[in-house]
Amino acid sequence: MKPQDVLAEKTSLWIFGYGSLVWKPDFKFKRSKVGYIQGYKRRFWHGDNFHRGNNEMPGRVVTLVEDDDACTWGVAYEVTGAQIEESLKYLNVREAVLGGYITKAVEFIPRENEEAPLLALVYIATADNPIYLGPASPEEIAAQIVVSRGKTGHNIEYLLRLADFMRLRCPEVEDTHLFSIETATLAIVLASELDMSAL
């Protein structure tokens, strides 16, 4: 599915973010909602050779992997009018061209119980992508994150901001994959600082 296929004379469009979009959408929007989508789990299985890494040392960023029993929390942004074309142009470069993501339409369920589900556009990187890195242990992923930096900043910042979002906005959700990588990364950083202080 292409972003323009979703437009089809729409005056309003929702875009679901589950990675850096939760804290840095960088496009104008009318309103936002915290919530989740079902049938997908968030995983640090995608490579990033632009924003948070380079060709020599690609960073690790999140994508979605289909899993009937899982759900992924994030933020949905509503864009209206001219914001629709502007946001999709921006995201096509940020997510599709530079990130290697494709788009899908998914059902987004707002956190507030009385609110009805809505259809949202989401960007997903699949296993057939050239920079897809695939599964690895939290320690292996952390080792890559610690040494990776790209045009947008250090890979560690990406990880910590995502973990902070989950703790602040979704405190009841235990994201084991995310938090185990955060723990492993901070352990490497701490060990490195201790080694330096011993010199």
Side-chain angles (χ1 to χ4, degrees), residues 117-135:
L118 49 92
L119 197 64
L121 185 72
V122 65
Y123 288 78
I124 301 173
T126 58
D128 58 5
N129 193 294
I131 54 175
Y132 194 83
L133 297 175

Side-chain angles (χ1 to χ4, degrees), residues 91-152:
L91 289 170
N92 186 49
V93 174
R94 172 172 162 168
E95 305 293 338
V97 176
L98 299 176
Y101 292 77
I102 60 170
T103 53
K104 284 189 177 182
V106 295
E107 185 182 67
F108 171 79
I109 301 163
R111 182 175 185 167
E112 303 303 324
N113 291 331
E114 69 275 9
E115 295 190 27
L118 49 92
L119 197 64
L121 185 72
V122 65
Y123 288 78
I124 301 173
T126 58
D128 58 5
N129 193 294
I131 54 175
Y132 194 83
L133 297 175
S137 70
E139 291 73 24
E140 290 172 306
I141 293 174
Q144 282 183 274
I145 287 175
V146 164
V147 297
S148 298
R149 176 186 291 275
K151 303 285 186 186
T152 311

